[in-house]
Every structure is written in structure tokens, then in C-alpha cells.
Amino acid sequence: MSQEQQDNQQSSMIQQALQEYKEGLGHFTEKIPNIARKYNAFTEACFAKGAVSQKEKQMIALGVSVFSQDEYCIIYHTKGCLDQGCTEKEILEIIGVTAAFGGGAVMSQAVTLVQEAIQELEGSQQTH
């Protein structure tokens, strides 16, 4: 398999994970709308601009996501960091701090999934 084919396969995995999350959240909302609405309101309030910026909140969420090994949240909050203007270097520094607490498990996510998500998501932002 060529590098381009590997990149395309990985690219589709990141987009597929984001799509799966959106679809799963949609199904959850259909089945228990009251809880979903309250959860969404809660998370919107948590991520709203306040004493801590939205960028900083996404950075915190990414660190927690990587520490907890939640691949969907890792991708989602990597995208959130990029959407809020984080640079690749800032994101990798976040992962470094997280790895100081989480060790090898965190580092394995950083050198694979986080970097793959950055590459794909930065590329899709440039084409839109």
C-alpha cells in the first residue's frame, strides 16, 4: 500500500469517527431527548467563553480525552483545538503535559491518533 493510500485510509477513519459520533448522538437524542437536551445545555455552558477562553477549554478537554483513552473525544477535541486556533505545537505540548501524568498510554495516543487527526483536520480546514 502506498503512502498516499495509507493517508487516504487514515483520513477516512478520522472523518468516519466524527460521523459515527454525530450519528450516535442523534440516535441518543431521538430515544431520550430530555436527557440529551440537558446534557447538551450543560456542555454548551461548560465550553462557553468565560474566565477561561474557549481555546483553553478545548485544550483541557483534549488532555483529559487523551488521558482517559477516549478515541472519539480525542478526535473531537483535536478538531476543537484546531477550530479555536491552536497550533500543532500547542497541541503537542498539551499532550506532553498529559503524558507527564499518563505515561506511555498517553504518549501512544499522541504519536498516532492525535497527530493523524491534526494532519487530516488541518488539511480539510484549508480546503474549506
Side-chain angles (χ1 to χ4, degrees):
M1 184 180 287
S2 73
Q3 183 63 41
E4 184 177 340
Q5 289 171 321
Q6 288 176 347
D7 290 345
N8 287 338
Q9 184 178 20
Q10 186 60 43
S11 175
S12 66
M13 192 270 309
I14 299 296
Q15 291 300 328
Q16 181 180 350
L18 289 171
Q19 185 61 36
E20 287 172 0
Y21 176 77
K22 288 178 186 178
E23 289 172 5
L25 194 54
H27 293 299
F28 181 82
T29 302
E30 287 173 14
K31 296 191 185 296
I32 50 174
N34 188 41
I35 292 173
R37 277 193 306 274
K38 289 178 181 180
Y39 173 77
N40 289 336
F42 172 72
T43 59
E44 285 176 22
C46 290
F47 281 89
K49 186 177 178 187
V52 176
S53 73
Q54 289 176 304
K55 178 180 177 179
E56 292 166 323
K57 290 177 181 187
Q58 286 295 335
M59 294 165 84
I60 292 165
L62 178 58
V64 171
S65 298
V66 173
F67 185 81
S68 65
Q69 302 289 302
D70 185 330
E71 291 189 4
Y72 288 101
C73 286
I74 291 169
I75 294 168
Y76 184 83
H77 292 294
T78 298
K79 182 178 183 332
C81 283
L82 293 170
D83 290 347
Q84 290 297 321
C86 287
T87 64
E88 181 178 9
K89 186 169 182 155
E90 286 174 315
I91 292 171
L92 295 178
E93 230 175 275
I94 294 161
I95 301 308
V97 171
T98 307
F101 288 94
V106 168
M107 193 55 74
S108 70
Q109 294 287 11
V111 299
T112 57
L113 186 58
V114 172
Q115 290 188 64
E116 292 162 1
I118 290 169
Q119 291 170 359
E120 178 182 335
L121 295 167
E122 280 186 330
S124 69
Q125 284 181 343
Q126 293 171 359
T127 60
H128 293 288

